[in-house]
Amino acid sequence: MELKKQFSDKALEDFKLIDQAVNEGDEQAYAMLMDRYKRPVYHMVLKMVRNVDDAEDLTIEAFAKSFKNLHKFKKDFTFSTWLFRIATNNAIDFIRKKRLNTMSIDTSFTDDNGDAVGFDVEDQNLNPQEVAIKSQKIELIQMFVTKLPAKYQRLVKLRYFDELSYDEIAAELDAPLGTVKAQLHRARELMYDLVKNKKEHI
């Protein structure tokens, strides 16, 4: 008990919410934890990936991972420290995967200034780390996709499983880009609600 004295009141409140969530399956406790940290996690991830849509996706994933593993949380650190570490690692994996999609090839070609010029060749083969990241992501989203209304399921599959861009999804569905963006935003909101309600979905 002495250990707890070093934590702030907010951290102690978080510990109480975690106990309620894990031991009692209290959906309101999950919701309160998400409401407390959704915005700061999103802003931190946004600084890392610099893309609003990717930041939204990664924020959902961070909460899904943390809530799935909440029973493993040890009160050696604050919940926020633990959650931010999960969110950061998830974002780093995402950034690394994006970079791995193009393999830099060293060449002896030089431009008019005598500077070496490299070129990128798309690497279609996933390495073992990428396969692990992708399968983890798909497993995570599969927890939610069947719970979504039918009209959102295909959108979410194209975005998360097939990893299509918004433009590619619009072309695939022959739908206006604005409609695709609006519906995916709504699908994300519904997925946030599902993340909050852990006990029935994991």
Side-chain angles (χ1 to χ4, degrees):
M1 292 299 293
E2 284 299 303
L3 196 65
K4 283 195 173 185
K5 288 185 179 171
Q6 69 190 19
F7 294 117
S8 68
D9 289 343
K10 186 175 183 185
L12 294 175
E13 285 170 24
D14 288 345
F15 290 161
K16 196 181 290 183
L17 288 171
I18 290 164
D19 287 341
Q20 289 173 301
V22 173
N23 300 330
E24 301 164 32
D26 186 341
E27 292 167 22
Q28 194 60 36
Y30 283 114
M32 286 178 74
L33 285 168
M34 181 178 276
D35 289 342
R36 281 184 166 204
Y37 294 108
K38 181 178 166 184
R39 190 176 293 274
V41 167
Y42 168 76
H43 285 301
M44 181 195 72
V45 171
L46 183 60
K47 280 182 186 170
M48 294 176 72
V49 298
R50 295 180 183 159
N51 177 288
V52 169
D53 297 317
D54 291 337
E56 281 279 4
D57 293 343
L58 291 165
T59 301
I60 291 174
E61 288 176 27
F63 277 102
K65 283 182 181 178
S66 64
F67 286 171
K68 186 179 180 184
N69 293 297
L70 201 57
H71 62 287
K72 298 178 186 171
F73 174 73
K74 303 276 191 296
K75 294 170 185 172
D76 303 334
F77 303 98
T78 62
F79 172 70
S80 58
T81 299
W82 185 70
L83 173 64
F84 275 61
R85 190 179 299 143
I86 289 172
T88 302
N89 288 342
N90 196 44
I92 289 168
D93 285 343
F94 171 82
I95 293 163
R96 192 180 289 135
K97 178 171 178 277
K98 264 199 158 175
R99 286 189 185 143
L100 284 171
N101 277 342
T102 55
M103 248 174 73
S104 185
I105 306 294
D106 289 322
T107 72
S108 55
F109 178 73
T110 56
D111 65 12
D112 292 340
N113 296 325
D115 297 321
V117 175
F119 58 91
D120 289 332
V121 175
E122 184 136 5
D123 180 12
Q124 298 295 347
N125 299 312
L126 298 176
N127 70 17
Q129 183 191 28
E130 262 194 301
V131 170
I133 293 167
K134 181 157 185 165
S135 65
Q136 186 181 44
K137 185 171 184 172
I138 288 175
E139 180 197 350
L140 215 55
I141 303 303
Q142 276 174 340
M143 292 190 279
F144 312 124
V145 74
T146 56
K147 311 285 183 188
L148 292 172
K151 74 172 183 175
Y152 296 123
Q153 289 191 22
R154 190 167 178 214
L155 273 172
V156 168
K157 284 175 182 172
L158 290 171
R159 174 70 178 160
Y160 291 91
F161 296 175
D162 302 336
E163 298 182 341
L164 299 187
S165 68
Y166 280 67
D167 289 325
E168 289 168 333
I169 293 169
E172 175 80 18
L173 300 179
D174 194 21
L177 184 60
T179 302
V180 167
K181 285 192 170 187
Q183 290 190 345
L184 266 169
H185 180 75
R186 178 67 187 132
R188 278 202 200 98
E189 289 301 313
L190 291 170
M191 285 165 68
Y192 272 124
D193 289 339
L194 293 173
V195 170
K196 289 178 187 178
N197 181 3
K198 290 323 298 162
K199 71 176 181 358
E200 288 181 21
H201 301 291
I202 292 184

